[in-house]
Amino acid sequence: MSEALVWELLRKNNCFVRKQGGVQFSTEKGNVLGVNSFKASGLANRKTADVCVNKNGAVVLSVKSKKEGAERKPAAMYRAVPMKKGSRKAVKVTEKMLSSYRPDLKSAAMVRVSKLIRAQNKQRKAVKAE
């Protein structure tokens, strides 16, 4: 199916839409911006990027796989790159990966990476203080 058709079907009703104060947010994987729009949708676009924290506490950049048939296998749909080397390295890796893959989402992903790393550092300092 085309991306535009999928977006028209999912635009107003899907299980990831959250409506607060007249604004529609979205929580699906692959939506870096967190808003319910075609540009940011992880469900409607073929190329998506997501930044999150895994179980081990590492920041992970996930992009949709380009392999043939991966869209039918949800477990293999995303390729994850864990970032363990530090904040500067994580921002550089994010910039390098997304500059050719999805340049329009690059700045939002870099902001999200830096915020997640900053939050982790605050948690580590709070644990050390106790």
Side-chain angles (χ1 to χ4, degrees):
M1 272 198 272
S2 71
E3 294 176 356
L5 178 61
V6 171
W7 174 245
E8 285 299 319
L9 294 172
L10 297 174
R11 183 170 61 133
K12 293 186 180 178
N13 284 331
N14 68 57
C15 65
F16 300 108
V17 173
R18 306 288 185 259
K19 298 176 183 178
Q20 293 178 348
V23 181
Q24 292 186 351
F25 297 101
S26 184
T27 61
E28 79 246 14
K29 183 170 180 147
N31 190 337
V32 175
L33 298 174
V35 294
N36 190 30
S37 68
F38 177 70
K39 173 186 170 182
S41 176
L43 300 172
N45 290 314
R46 287 193 177 101
K47 292 183 176 182
T48 63
D50 188 38
V51 179
C52 61
V53 178
N54 67 3
K55 295 175 185 175
N56 300 331
V59 176
V60 177
L61 173 67
S62 302
V63 293
K64 266 193 183 175
S65 178
K66 295 179 183 180
K67 290 183 180 178
E68 188 68 31
E71 65 272 357
R72 289 175 279 150
K73 300 174 185 173
M77 188 183 305
Y78 285 92
R79 185 175 54 121
V81 179
M83 299 181 209
K84 303 174 187 174
K85 298 287 184 181
S87 60
R88 290 183 185 176
K89 184 79 169 177
V91 171
K92 283 184 180 180
V93 167
T94 304
E95 183 179 14
K96 187 175 181 181
M97 283 189 70
L98 293 182
S99 62
S100 62
Y101 188 71
R102 281 288 299 266
D104 58 331
L105 297 179
K106 180 176 70 171
S107 62
M110 288 171 51
V111 167
R112 191 148 183 193
V113 165
S114 64
K115 284 184 178 182
L116 288 173
I117 290 173
R118 193 174 306 132
Q120 285 180 340
N121 290 339
K122 285 182 182 178
Q123 287 177 350
R124 287 184 188 138
K125 286 180 183 177
V127 169
K128 286 182 182 179
E130 293 175 0

